[in-house]
């Protein structure tokens, strides 16, 4: 289910102070990157990802990261992407 505007705003506020957990390098979005992001999402639910110069645009990379991990793209600001994927159990974000 897509996030509403209020939910996105709340998640952006939560993610403001986070540091990037994964950095996408020159190779772009690879299976290894998707695996690392999936694991980080399982641990944290809300993560930041830094996109460095690579093949394709940052918008394309952000979209493929969200689709490849089954997460929601909360925000794309510059080269930083905020991704969210709610856990089925023990979620910190039950109210969303």
């Amino acid at each position: 289910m897509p996030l509403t505007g209020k939910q996105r705003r709340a998640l952006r506020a939560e993610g403001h102070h986070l540091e990037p957990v994964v950095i996408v390098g020159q190779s772009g979005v690879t299976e290894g990157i998707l695996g690392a992001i999936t694991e980080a999402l399982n641990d944290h639910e809300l993560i930041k990802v830094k996109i460095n110069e690579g093949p394709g645009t940052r918008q394309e990379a952000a979209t493929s990261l969200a689709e490849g991990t089954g997460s929601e793209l909360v925000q794309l600001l510059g080269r930083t992407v905020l991704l969210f994927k709610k856990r089925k159990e023990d979620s910190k974000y039950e109210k969303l």
Side-chain angles (χ1 to χ4, degrees):
M1 179 174 88
L3 296 171
T4 65
K6 274 188 167 182
Q7 290 171 328
R8 283 185 194 282
R9 192 167 38 250
L11 289 172
R12 283 196 312 260
E14 288 276 330
H16 179 73
H17 298 290
L18 296 177
E19 292 295 319
V21 178
V22 179
I23 297 174
V24 178
Q26 289 180 334
S27 302
V29 180
T30 63
E31 289 299 318
I33 293 289
L34 291 176
I37 291 173
T38 301
E39 188 174 318
L41 283 167
N42 288 337
D43 293 342
H44 304 287
E45 295 181 279
L46 182 68
I47 64 167
K48 271 188 183 176
V49 178
K50 185 80 170 182
I51 300 174
N52 288 335
E53 292 293 330
T57 65
R58 58 190 173 89
Q59 290 88 355
E60 291 170 347
T63 303
S64 58
L65 287 174
E67 289 173 357
T69 58
S71 61
E72 290 286 333
L73 177 61
V74 177
Q75 183 180 33
L76 173 62
L77 187 61
R79 296 202 163 272
T80 305
V81 178
L82 189 62
L83 296 173
F84 173 72
K85 185 174 182 182
K86 187 175 175 182
R87 282 192 291 252
K88 296 188 189 316
E89 297 176 4
D90 301 327
S91 177
K92 180 180 172 184
Y93 303 96
E94 281 299 329
K95 296 178 183 176
L96 287 179

